[in-house]
Amino acid sequence: MKRIVALDMLRGYALVCIMLDHMPIGVLRKLTLTNFAVFDAAELFVLLSGFLVGMVWIKVEAREGRPAAQIRFLRRAAQVWLALIAGAILLALFSALLFKLQMNHTAVWFQYARWIVEHPIGYVATVALMWMQPNLLDVLALYVLLIATVPVTVPFMLRWPWLAMAVSVLVWILAQPLNALIPNQRPGPGLLFNPFGWQMLFFAGVAMGAFRDRIMPVLRRHAALLTWISVGVLLFSLTIVIALKIGAPAKPVSQFLRQITGGIDKWSLDFMRFIAILAASWIVAVPLARPFAWMAATAPGEALAEIGRGGLFSFIVCVMLSIWGDALDMTVPPGPANLWLRLAIDIWLVTAFWVIAALWMRRETWLPPLRTRLGLG
């Protein structure tokens, strides 16, 4: 399947934003997606993942048949589950190492570093059973559950799209009580990323990928109207964010906006976050399609695309660099005089992220000679 470079770039951008957002005192986190909209990189990552699932399913089913597509995504669910376990082990061990080196960090809970040393089997078992999802990796737990349903849900969607949409909306409406039924290590009910809420966004992405050849000609007939609506939604979203950042002086505005939107809950994916990411998707896919294609062909765009193509490997690297960056930031004395040092740390981490992803994507060229040299070939 021919890759869409702009999608890889956006996926890489989402991963970089996730890394920076998990560094509490970083500098560049003030420029990430969450500072300009009511949604953040998590929504972008899940929507793009769903879109790619829809595209890949259609291609594989047309070429090899439906059973092949079902097997492929069952294997993918297993890969994501294994990545969750491996990532949790690496996260805990790296956190323990940093504490051993007296490098404090807050990006992950300190208990993981203790449990991996004192109760390694119990720690791995609780992660493998998904009774516990270490923070920074909890979106992978969500992804495991969503991908595991794909062999059943996507054929259902392809056969009865409107019924599938109705079921998805109903599950989304009942998301909070359904999530409360999932046994979990957290003091709150269910998984942090509520799978019954976030499935709405994921399967919206799947539908976009699977039906895009049928949907887009219809939507383009109303392109001007949809663009104006999308711009309005995004401006409204930006107003909410700006009012919250201003704080007390803008409290009347925030209260008025809250009467319109209600609570804006990330973890169950409320309507405002859902509609805002859909509006942004339209703007990127239609009126800004050419500028984004141009950006994807630039050096920074290609670097982000390499990160995006790294898939699960890039996600695990993103988590590790988040912890490392947080620890480095906490070694810098507070104060505006040291702002440039924290900025340098952020830039170094983004660069390191690209270098690691680029090396991984080129592993077929350097890994065999290295194995031969080490006598492992």
Side-chain angles (χ1 to χ4, degrees), residues 172-248:
W172 175 67
I173 292 171
L174 300 174
Q176 293 192 20
L178 288 173
N179 192 39
L181 300 176
I182 300 179
N184 201 264
Q185 167 260 345
R186 294 177 57 250
L191 276 64
L192 183 62
F193 278 91
N194 186 335
F196 302 101
W198 282 76
Q199 56 80 27
M200 181 81 168
L201 181 61
F202 177 77
F203 288 114
V206 173
M208 290 178 191
F211 298 120
R212 62 184 180 134
D213 293 337
R214 292 159 56 182
I215 293 173
M216 290 308 293
V218 176
L219 294 181
R220 285 184 184 277
R221 297 175 199 160
H222 313 283
L225 176 61
L226 289 172
T227 297
W228 280 111
I229 292 173
S230 298
V231 169
V233 169
L234 292 179
L235 288 176
F236 183 73
S237 169
L238 179 61
T239 303
I240 294 171
V241 172
I242 291 174
L244 289 173
K245 285 185 177 295
I246 292 174

Side-chain angles (χ1 to χ4, degrees), residues 41-47 49-50 77 80-81 84 127 130 132-134 136-150 175 179 182 184 190-203 266-269 312 315:
E43 279 92 345
L44 179 57
F45 182 80
V46 171
L47 182 66
S49 297
V80 178
W81 177 69
L84 172 65
V127 171
M130 293 175 56
M132 178 177 70
Q133 308 89 41
L136 305 191
L137 290 170
D138 35 23
V139 72
L140 278 189
L142 166 72
Y143 200 39
V144 171
L145 296 175
L146 294 176
I147 291 291
T149 69
V150 161
N179 192 39
I182 300 179
N184 201 264
L191 276 64
L192 183 62
F193 278 91
N194 186 335
F196 302 101
W198 282 76
Q199 56 80 27
M200 181 81 168
L201 181 61
F202 177 77
F203 288 114
K266 173 178 180 176
W267 310 117
S268 290
L269 189 67
L312 288 174
F315 188 89

Side-chain angles (χ1 to χ4, degrees), residues 38 56 121 182 220 225 243 248 281 283 288 300 305 327 329 342 346 365:
V38 295
V56 171
I121 296 177
I182 300 179
R220 285 184 184 277
L225 176 61
S281 301
I283 294 295
L288 296 183
D329 278 339
R342 286 199 295 273
D346 287 353
T365 61

Side-chain angles (χ1 to χ4, degrees), residues 236 255-262:
F236 183 73
Q255 289 176 337
F256 173 73
L257 295 174
R258 188 177 179 86
Q259 290 177 351
I260 299 174
T261 64

